[in-house]
Amino acid sequence: MRALILGLILSLTPAALMGQGAGSTMPAAPEAGLIPPVPAPESWPLFPDPGLPTAPDAAEAPVEQVVAGLSNSAVAITTSFDGSDILIYGAVRRETPIPNGPLDVIVTIEAPSQPLTIWQRARRFGIWVNTERVDVGAAPSFYAVATTRPLAQILSPDWDNRYRISLPLVLRAFGGAQEVDDARPYTEALIRLRQQNGHYRLEEGSVTLVEDTLFRTDIRLPANLVEGDYRARIFLLREGAVMDAYGAAIQVRKVGLERWLYRLAFDQPLLYGLMSLAVAVAAGWGASAAFRKLRRA
């Protein structure tokens, strides 16, 4: 009986599921976007920014192209899931000799973007309360960047603005009129907090590049992932400019009992609430009975 109660309690703990799909190289038209045609929420912006060109000469095929893949096509996450490593590997395909200049690779993994509100807390009459706020229209719950060298040395600001690669640019839009004059301290605080809990990461030097041809890196996925469609991007750079890009879709879904409880909470909230209440009552009664027996002993 106790084992059954503990199992039901643990099964109510939220978790997530990870998967991925194939990718494509840099598009020929700016409006085409970087990511291949896979089902995705409409709130996802195009990559790169549709208002900016994808390359100095997007009509011509790049001299160097990325050929890459991910280690796992799907990762099932249950209540016992404590994180996973995604291996991203690939090579540089070229028909001509290796050009002069250093070659660099940037790899990103991004969760679906969601709107959120950043509040500033202040002490009023002896208690802490929320005061001014900033509404962010699109912010991913998880974002990781892995590079071959320090990001500031290999990526120019213009190309960073086009593809929105760095952490400060991961917050893409602001919703409505802001109540503050300067929103930068709020976004910096959000990035700092999510870096502390491991949801935003910049891992400089973690991409291994061999003879300007082969590359690989491992990106750690946390246990508390949010369900949705994730995306991975791989950028090939020379002298600060993006030469080619590769995109891969990643699906995050719950499975098994975890999935059933998740759907039950949304589809039949009354039944889910009654079941949670019953589990809480049973757990409290069981703990009380156990303590009574211990006192008697």
Side-chain angles (χ1 to χ4, degrees):
M1 181 61 181
R2 296 178 183 174
L4 177 60
I5 294 174
L6 291 176
L8 289 174
I9 293 174
L10 291 176
S11 66
L12 297 178
T13 305
L17 161 74
M18 173 63 83
Q20 72 251 352
S24 63
T25 55
M26 182 179 293
E31 64 274 9
L34 172 62
I35 303 301
V38 296
E42 295 181 358
S43 60
W44 277 82
L46 294 177
F47 295 98
D49 191 316
L52 296 171
T54 59
D57 190 356
E60 298 181 1
V63 177
E64 298 175 296
Q65 294 181 327
V66 179
V67 180
L70 279 68
S71 59
N72 300 324
S73 59
V75 178
I77 300 179
T78 61
T79 54
S80 61
F81 179 75
D82 60 352
S84 178
D85 290 319
I86 293 293
L87 169 62
I88 301 176
Y89 57 92
V92 180
R93 180 174 60 189
R94 54 176 71 92
E95 303 294 337
T96 60
I98 299 178
N100 296 327
L103 178 69
D104 291 286
V105 177
I106 298 176
V107 178
T108 69
I109 292 183
E110 181 176 356
S113 294
Q114 298 176 345
L116 58 84
T117 300
I118 308 172
W119 290 91
Q120 181 182 22
R121 300 184 64 187
R123 195 174 183 87
R124 298 287 188 271
F125 305 105
I127 61 174
W128 290 97
V129 296
N130 294 329
T131 55
E132 297 177 332
R133 70 178 187 180
V134 170
D135 294 323
V136 179
S141 59
F142 174 79
Y143 189 70
V145 182
T147 66
T148 50
R149 294 189 294 155
L151 186 62
Q153 298 180 11
I154 64 177
L155 179 63
S156 67
D158 291 340
W159 286 96
D160 189 13
N161 289 329
R162 293 179 184 181
Y163 284 94
R164 301 162 180 169
I165 298 173
S166 62
L167 290 175
L169 295 180
V170 71
L171 308 180
R172 294 192 180 86
F174 293 93
Q178 300 300 327
E179 300 179 359
V180 298
D181 296 331
D182 186 8
R184 180 177 299 178
Y186 293 79
T187 57
E188 290 177 348
L190 175 63
I191 293 175
R192 182 176 66 254
L193 291 175
R194 292 194 169 180
Q195 282 182 311
Q196 292 175 359
N197 60 29
H199 282 218
Y200 284 0
R201 297 204 302 269
L202 174 59
E203 302 175 357
E204 296 177 325
S206 62
V207 179
T208 302
L209 181 62
V210 180
E211 296 182 355
D212 282 355
T213 302
L214 303 176
F215 63 88
R216 61 159 291 168
T217 186
D218 293 281
I219 295 182
R220 180 72 176 177
L221 302 177
N224 53 346
L225 293 174
V226 176
E227 188 178 31
D229 296 324
Y230 287 53
R231 296 186 179 183
R233 297 182 295 166
I234 303 174
F235 299 96
L236 190 66
L237 303 97
R238 281 192 184 276
E239 298 180 355
V242 175
M243 307 303 297
D244 191 34
Y246 178 98
I250 301 175
Q251 293 185 346
V252 177
R253 299 291 184 268
K254 294 180 174 66
V255 293
L257 180 61
E258 186 86 359
R259 179 70 178 178
W260 179 78
L261 290 171
Y262 177 82
R263 295 311 315 167
L264 182 66
F266 285 92
D267 298 338
Q268 302 183 33
L270 178 60
L271 179 59
Y272 181 83
L274 292 175
M275 186 179 67
S276 302
L277 180 61
V279 171
V281 170
W285 176 83
S288 176
F291 279 114
R292 283 198 302 269
K293 289 185 178 181
L294 289 174
R295 283 198 301 267
R296 292 174 183 175

